[in-house]
């Protein structure tokens, strides 16, 4: 049984099509098909069958793809053990960040990764809806992901999930808005105002939907834009309310908005690091994941971030009236 052919089967199970598998492995689609055909002949069972214009894995194929993932993990652990003795490590790590995670973690993380001699840490921008993060682990060593529904959203996909931090999601209001006098807001307080929202599938839109359910009233989504800095600008200009992550937004309140916590409903996101189990078993990846955890702890421990942001907002309002 050829490990390389098993890897092709595993990639097909992850990526769904022969074309995507060939692109990931930098071979031709015909080469993928031929290797899968040879693997089927070696094993004596059907692993792949036609489905419309494409293919799908049979029950046996899915089982062997899972076994291939387990084998990859075992090989990676063996290589990590050898690394401890020969001092050889992976020298190039690729990681995917969504924007606010990069803003929070990347500056400090790059200082930390310099401690690993010879390591080139390469950060990439990715900002999919929640369902899209798991698939990115096929192309990156580490993927930073977020969800308002907890880490189980990703653990169910068979990935290694490393919790980094839980971040409150607050309502952003223009400076001087009537609701800014309140220390905390309820769904009933905010549901009647226009909203600057995120497209469906993004965590902040989920919070808005919870507001709608709690108030039993739909909100008016005046604009949908998947960029936090644009949302900050729209709120600051007085166009409506939005949901923002506290740890990054607090640093930007001088733009003309204030933050108020929501009460009576869940309004926070969990931020995690994701990796395939075999990748997470590598020595260098373990070191980088530990550095990510340390950096997240440093971010969460920064003064004023864990408390509701009312006082700073009042100061901002007072400054705006001077």
């Amino acid at each position: 049984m050829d490990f390389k052919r098993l890897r092709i089967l595993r990639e097909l199970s992850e990526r769904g099509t022969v074309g995507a598998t060939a692109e990931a492995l930098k071979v031709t689609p015909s080469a993928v098909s031929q290797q899968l055909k040879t693997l089927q002949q070696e094993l004596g069972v059907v692993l792949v069958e036609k489905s419309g214009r494409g293919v799908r894995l049979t029950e046996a194929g899915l089982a062997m793809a899972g076994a291939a993932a387990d084998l990859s993990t075992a090989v990676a652990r063996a290589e990590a053990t050898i690394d401890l003795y020969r001092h050889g490590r992976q020298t190039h790590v690729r990681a995917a960040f969504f924007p606010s995670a990069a803003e929070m973690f990347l500056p400090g993380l790059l200082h930390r990764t310099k401690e690993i001699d010879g390591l080139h840490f390469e950060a990439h921008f990715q900002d999919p809806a929640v369902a899209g993060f798991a698939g990115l682990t096929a192309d990156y060593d580490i993927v930073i992901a977020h969800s308002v529904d907890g880490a189980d959203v990703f653990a169910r996909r068979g990935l290694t999930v490393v919790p980094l931090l839980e971040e409150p999601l607050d309502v952003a209001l223009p400076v001087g808005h009537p609701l800014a006098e309140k220390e905390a807001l309820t769904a009933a307080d905010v549901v009647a105002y226009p909203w600057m929202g995120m497209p469906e599938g993004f965590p902040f839109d989920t919070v808005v939907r919870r507001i709608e359910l709690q108030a039993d009233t739909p909100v008016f989504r005046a604009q949908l834009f998947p960029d936090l800095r644009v949302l900050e600008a729209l709120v600051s200009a007085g166009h409506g309310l939005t949901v923002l992550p506290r740890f990054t937004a607090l640093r930007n309140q001088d733009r003309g908005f204030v933050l108020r916590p929501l009460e009576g409903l869940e309004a926070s996101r969990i931020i995690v690091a994701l990796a395939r189990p075999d990748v997470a078993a590598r020595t260098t990846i373990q070191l980088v994941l530990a550095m990510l955890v340390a950096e997240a702890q440093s971010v969460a421990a920064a003064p004023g971030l864990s408390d509701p942001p009312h006082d700073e907002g009042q100061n901002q309002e007072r400054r705006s009236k001077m």
Side-chain angles (χ1 to χ4, degrees):
M1 191 183 309
D2 191 297
F3 178 68
K4 291 181 179 179
R5 295 188 185 113
L6 285 175
R7 182 190 174 199
I8 291 174
L9 183 68
R10 184 225 181 145
E11 290 294 335
L12 179 60
S13 73
E14 293 277 349
R15 298 177 186 274
T17 68
V18 170
T21 300
E23 183 177 355
L25 298 177
K26 296 180 172 54
V27 297
T28 64
S30 60
V32 169
S33 298
Q34 182 58 47
Q35 290 298 314
L36 290 173
K37 181 178 180 181
T38 301
L39 181 62
Q40 289 185 137
Q41 292 172 344
E42 288 177 344
L43 298 178
V45 294
V46 177
L47 302 174
V48 179
E49 60 187 8
K50 290 185 177 181
S51 177
R53 295 184 177 181
V55 298
R56 66 182 177 190
L57 271 65
T58 63
E59 183 177 346
L62 290 170
M64 287 305 299
D70 292 340
L71 182 58
S72 293
T73 302
V75 170
R77 286 175 179 156
E79 290 174 344
T81 301
I82 294 172
D83 285 344
L84 295 176
Y85 290 94
R86 69 186 182 196
H87 305 293
R89 296 190 176 106
Q90 180 176 342
T91 59
H92 189 182
V93 173
R94 300 176 77 246
F97 289 80
F98 60 90
S100 55
E103 185 175 349
M104 278 191 290
F105 303 141
L106 192 54
L109 180 64
L110 290 178
H111 285 302
R112 296 176 188 271
T113 56
K114 289 178 181 178
E115 299 173 9
I116 305 177
D117 290 339
L119 176 65
H120 174 57
F121 183 86
E122 185 179 311
H124 292 259
F125 169 85
Q126 292 286 351
D127 196 18
V130 173
F133 282 109
L136 293 175
T137 58
D139 298 307
Y140 296 94
D141 299 302
I142 298 170
V143 174
I144 311 302
H146 60 162
S147 169
V148 297
D149 296 318
D152 286 347
V153 170
F154 305 111
R156 290 195 294 266
R157 299 290 297 271
L159 299 171
T160 296
V161 181
V162 180
L164 298 177
L165 58 79
E166 184 173 1
E167 181 177 23
L169 301 177
D170 296 322
V171 175
L173 319 158
V175 167
H177 193 282
L179 292 180
E181 296 297 326
K182 291 176 170 266
E183 291 188 3
L185 302 174
T186 66
D189 291 329
V190 301
V191 72
Y193 292 93
W195 280 78
M196 306 293 107
M198 283 273 188
E200 184 178 356
F202 285 80
F204 307 127
D205 182 62
T206 301
V207 174
V208 177
R209 292 179 184 276
R210 289 175 181 173
I211 290 171
E212 293 176 314
L213 287 172
Q214 178 114 354
D216 196 25
T217 304
V219 305
F220 171 52
R221 292 169 173 80
Q223 299 291 334
L224 298 179
F225 207 92
D227 185 284
L228 296 181
R229 299 300 160 254
V230 173
L231 295 179
E232 289 176 1
L234 292 174
V235 171
S236 298
H239 293 296
L241 314 183
T242 196
V243 172
L244 292 177
R246 182 181 300 173
F247 295 170
T248 48
L250 271 176
R251 301 185 179 97
N252 299 322
Q253 285 190 104
D254 58 356
R255 298 189 68 179
F257 67 89
V258 296
L259 298 176
R260 293 293 178 267
L262 275 164
E263 60 182 18
L265 55 80
E266 292 184 29
S268 66
R269 64 175 175 178
I270 184 74
I271 301 177
V272 300
L274 307 177
R276 285 181 169 184
D278 52 319
V279 175
R282 299 173 189 165
T283 304
T284 305
I285 303 303
Q286 291 174 9
L287 290 171
V288 174
L289 287 172
M291 290 176 174
L292 264 168
V293 171
E295 186 60 28
Q297 292 172 343
S298 177
V299 169
L305 289 187
S306 60
D307 299 324
H310 184 66
D311 290 341
E312 174 58 28
Q314 286 183 322
N315 293 338
Q316 177 64 26
E317 291 174 44
R318 284 196 290 269
R319 287 194 296 268
S320 71
K321 296 175 182 178
M322 295 176 61

